């Protein structure tokens, strides 16, 4: 993964005592999902993306208490999660299952319940440097690297502009 070195370093140093509930906060396209997958891999957990609907949240929580192997349940775009679903998440913040880990990704943590924020490890995505944007472009064979590194602040922006061939018009 490109960037997010301090979060990855923190995760490595807390590998044996990793929190069962984390929130990744960052701009759209900043790599929150990629980081969640990377953290799952580092902890030897199965990565499981989950819907943010209240029924799904409740089902995942019930299942999590019965898993015998490590799983990271990831609720993406949780800032759009309804309050009923957020309240359902409170149970696992109080009594986390032994083999289950939970991750919520948000662009703005002010949409989270204060009780969730106080019980979770909230991690803020670091801004990407132009050098990291360049490295991302090189790694994924993006053309017009100089344009991307000067105007993009996240890998997601590079991908979006690349998909629309925006640089042809610059």
């Amino acid at each position: 993964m490109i960037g997010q070195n301090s979060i990855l370093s923190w995760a490595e140093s807390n590998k044996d005592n990793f929190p069962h509930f984390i929130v990744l906060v960052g701009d759209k396209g900043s790599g929150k999902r990629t980081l969640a997958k990377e953290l799952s891999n580092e902890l030897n957990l199965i990565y499981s993306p989950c819907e943010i609907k209240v029924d799904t949240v409740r089902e995942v929580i019930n299942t999590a208490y019965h898993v015998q192997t490590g799983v990271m349940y990831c609720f993406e775009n949780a800032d759009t999660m309804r309050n009923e679903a957020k309240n359902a998440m409170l149970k696992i913040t109080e009594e986390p299952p032994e083999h289950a880990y939970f991750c919520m990704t948000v662009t703005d943590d002010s949409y989270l319940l204060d009780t969730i924020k106080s019980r979770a490890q909230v991690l803020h995505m670091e801004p990407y440097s132009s050098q990291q944007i360049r490295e991302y472009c090189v790694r994924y064979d993006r053309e017009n690297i100089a344009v991307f590194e000067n105007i993009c602040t996240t890998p997601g922006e590079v991908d979006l502009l690349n998909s629309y061939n925006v640089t042809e018009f610059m």
Side-chain angles (χ1 to χ4, degrees):
M1 167 156 201
I2 294 171
Q4 308 314 316
N5 295 334
S6 55
I7 293 175
L8 292 170
S9 176
W10 170 84
E12 178 63 32
S13 65
N14 289 288
K15 201 172 192 172
D16 295 331
N17 194 25
F18 198 82
H20 282 265
F21 192 72
I22 63 170
V23 176
L24 298 176
V25 183
D27 293 336
K28 182 177 171 68
S30 61
K32 296 179 297 287
R33 177 181 11 182
T34 302
L35 180 58
K37 290 178 182 178
E38 181 72 19
L39 293 172
S40 294
N41 286 337
E42 289 297 316
L43 297 167
N44 295 317
L45 302 172
I46 297 168
Y47 177 80
S48 179
C50 304
E51 293 182 359
I52 58 173
K53 298 176 185 175
V54 66
D55 292 338
T56 304
V57 170
R58 288 179 179 142
E59 183 180 316
V60 166
I61 290 169
N62 287 332
T63 301
Y65 283 98
H66 303 287
V67 295
Q68 297 300 310
T69 186
V71 179
M72 167 92 62
Y73 298 100
C74 187
F75 297 90
E76 298 174 18
N77 303 314
D79 21 19
T80 61
M81 185 182 272
R82 296 183 59 201
N83 280 341
E84 294 86 357
K86 292 175 190 175
N87 283 321
M89 295 289 294
L90 288 175
K91 179 179 180 183
I92 56 97
T93 64
E94 295 168 352
E95 304 167 19
E98 181 181 355
H99 299 291
Y101 295 80
F102 297 86
C103 175
M104 296 173 84
T105 69
V106 298
T107 55
D108 183 354
D109 61 354
S110 69
Y111 291 105
L112 293 174
L113 299 174
D114 287 337
T115 48
I116 287 179
K117 284 194 285 191
S118 69
R119 296 175 182 163
Q121 178 70 48
V122 180
L123 304 168
H124 292 267
M125 301 290 284
E126 302 167 347
Y128 289 88
S129 68
S130 59
Q131 177 59 36
Q132 290 169 328
I133 296 294
R134 171 179 278 284
E135 186 180 334
Y136 179 81
C137 291
V138 169
R139 182 179 290 178
Y140 296 102
D141 294 324
R142 303 293 187 245
E143 298 178 11
N144 304 306
I145 294 172
V147 172
F148 290 137
E149 74 178 338
N150 288 321
I151 63 172
C152 295
T153 59
T154 68
E157 289 176 352
V158 171
D159 293 340
L160 181 64
L161 291 178
N162 189 64
S163 71
Y164 287 111
N165 294 318
V166 170
T167 56
E168 288 181 14
F169 305 105
M170 300 180 132

